[in-house]
Amino acid sequence: MRTSIGEFLRNLRMTKNQRLKDMADILEVSSAFLSAVENGKKSMPDVWVKKIQTEYGISNEQCEEMKQAAMESQNTISLNMRNVSSVNRELAVSFARQFDDMDEETSKKILSMLKNRKKGGK
């Protein structure tokens, strides 16, 4: 199943008239690995962001789109808990424990709160 990041990478390749092997060579990976990323079987390595931006000359806006697509396509997320307050650590653990059972209404409320906070709201 193709993911958001898979679509982004494939569209970028097609725009540049590149074969899978061409992009794989630029990213210094095998064609099989790139294909697995495009098809949602592997996550995109973080080091690709800068490399793709540099090698393909994509705009900052496209780079943000790529980062968002990569994040949405991940099956797992890890958090660096070093230097995190005990309250934030407890929040992260509580959220992780309840995540699978959370109803959509609650998820939307939390997401809205976090987006408002990011925009400078209270």
Side-chain angles (χ1 to χ4, degrees), residues 11-29:
N11 289 339
L12 181 60
R13 259 191 326 103
M14 295 295 130
T15 300
K16 302 293 184 178
N17 294 316
Q18 289 185 335
R19 298 171 298 152
L20 191 74
K21 179 164 179 16
D22 299 327
M23 182 178 263
D25 288 346
I26 288 168
L27 297 172
E28 300 174 349
V29 295

Side-chain angles (χ1 to χ4, degrees), residues 58-98:
I58 64 174
S59 68
N60 288 339
E61 184 177 297
Q62 288 173 304
C63 190
E64 286 305 313
E65 179 186 335
M66 177 177 55
K67 288 178 190 176
Q68 183 69 29
M71 185 188 72
E72 290 171 0
S73 300
Q74 288 182 335
N75 292 324
T76 61
I77 295 178
S78 62
L79 296 173
N80 181 349
M81 299 299 264
R82 191 176 304 123
N83 301 323
V84 173
S85 73
S86 60
V87 172
N88 283 351
R89 184 180 301 266
E90 183 180 355
L91 172 64
V93 171
S94 294
F95 184 80
R97 285 185 180 142
Q98 297 180 38

Side-chain angles (χ1 to χ4, degrees), residues 27-69:
L27 297 172
E28 300 174 349
V29 295
S30 68
S31 297
F33 185 82
L34 176 57
S35 177
V37 173
E38 283 191 7
N39 289 304
K41 295 179 179 145
K42 299 271 186 186
S43 293
M44 184 182 96
D46 293 337
V47 297
W48 285 14
V49 173
K50 185 73 172 163
K51 186 168 269 197
I52 289 170
Q53 187 174 26
T54 301
E55 294 291 331
Y56 288 92
I58 64 174
S59 68
N60 288 339
E61 184 177 297
Q62 288 173 304
C63 190
E64 286 305 313
E65 179 186 335
M66 177 177 55
K67 288 178 190 176
Q68 183 69 29

